[in-house]
Amino acid sequence: MSQENCTSSLRIGGVELDDIALIQEPHLEQSTQFHEMAERLRDSEAIVEALRKRGEYPLDKMLTDTLDSLVASSRLDGMMIATDEGFPVATSRCPDQGEVLAAICCLFATTVRRTQSEGLIECVEEMALRGFANEHIIMRFLPGLDKRYFLVAWSTKKCSHRRATAAALKTCARLLSTEARA
């Protein structure tokens, strides 16, 4: 073995091919999270199929109209309904970074689940992120839907959000639960 080969294996971060081993492929179908996600996808497909068959009940338009009217009557810049996987369902005004807001609130939802599983807070009503210039993002869960959907509200200025988000929760939860039963 040459001097160069000896020193290269002793370098920090150096890897010899003999040291590399393949790990066994994960078995997703045995994972609890996989089963939960598959069930959610089946539920979502059933909702979409029910909407397609009925045709006269455009849920996304009703949710968007509700959010638009509530934003117009408040000082909020926008509201969105998203899934706990971080996908937007309905948005009042299309923000430049709607998907980013939904993904950030998905992280909020993960924090809520961890907080509850650790027994720190039994039932979380909302989470908020506030900046130094009074901009804020608020996430609230839609009641009665097993925390599968949440409401995101945002503003670039200081404003009250409780009345508008409470009205959005009430109306949007009713619309989503009605359609989930269809």
Side-chain angles (χ1 to χ4, degrees), residues 84 105-106 108-113 116 123-127 139-152 165 169 173:
D84 66 347
C105 286
C106 183
F108 281 9
T110 302
T111 303
V112 166
R113 283 192 288 279
Q116 290 173 322
C123 189
V124 176
E125 181 181 356
E126 77 177 32
M127 283 191 67
M139 187 220 44
R140 296 182 70 182
F141 289 103
L142 275 78
L145 296 170
D146 298 326
K147 294 193 177 179
R148 289 189 177 182
Y149 300 97
F150 52 80
L151 173 72
V152 182
T165 57
L169 288 174

Side-chain angles (χ1 to χ4, degrees), residues 52-63:
R52 193 173 290 135
K53 285 180 182 176
R54 289 171 60 174
E56 80 278 351
Y57 195 66
L59 181 61
D60 59 338
K61 181 165 177 21
M62 294 178 78
L63 288 169

Side-chain angles (χ1 to χ4, degrees), residues 48-160:
V48 168
E49 188 58 33
L51 282 173
R52 193 173 290 135
K53 285 180 182 176
R54 289 171 60 174
E56 80 278 351
Y57 195 66
L59 181 61
D60 59 338
K61 181 165 177 21
M62 294 178 78
L63 288 169
T64 299
D65 290 346
T66 299
L67 296 176
D68 279 338
S69 68
L70 289 166
V71 167
S73 66
S74 71
R75 294 183 56 207
L76 291 168
D77 292 331
M79 282 196 249
M80 169 193 311
I81 303 291
T83 66
D84 66 347
E85 290 90 10
F87 298 112
V89 173
T91 306
S92 63
R93 287 180 41 203
C94 191
D96 293 338
Q97 298 177 328
E99 291 83 12
V100 172
L101 279 170
I104 287 170
C105 286
C106 183
L107 292 174
F108 281 9
T110 302
T111 303
V112 166
R113 283 192 288 279
R114 176 73 187 266
T115 302
Q116 290 173 322
S117 71
E118 295 291 334
L120 298 172
I121 299 176
E122 186 176 326
C123 189
V124 176
E125 181 181 356
E126 77 177 32
M127 283 191 67
L129 190 63
R130 184 176 309 275
F132 285 112
N134 286 318
E135 65 273 16
H136 55 276
I137 301 170
I138 299 103
M139 187 220 44
R140 296 182 70 182
F141 289 103
L142 275 78
L145 296 170
D146 298 326
K147 294 193 177 179
R148 289 189 177 182
Y149 300 97
F150 52 80
L151 173 72
V152 182
W154 64 91
S155 177
T156 55
K157 58 197 168 300
K158 187 174 183 175
C159 71
S160 176

Side-chain angles (χ1 to χ4, degrees), residues 21-40:
L22 297 176
I23 61 171
Q24 190 176 30
E25 265 189 52
H27 298 285
L28 291 177
E29 52 279 344
Q30 296 173 359
S31 164
T32 304
Q33 288 100 355
F34 176 81
H35 287 291
E36 289 173 1
M37 188 66 68
E39 180 183 331
R40 289 178 183 177

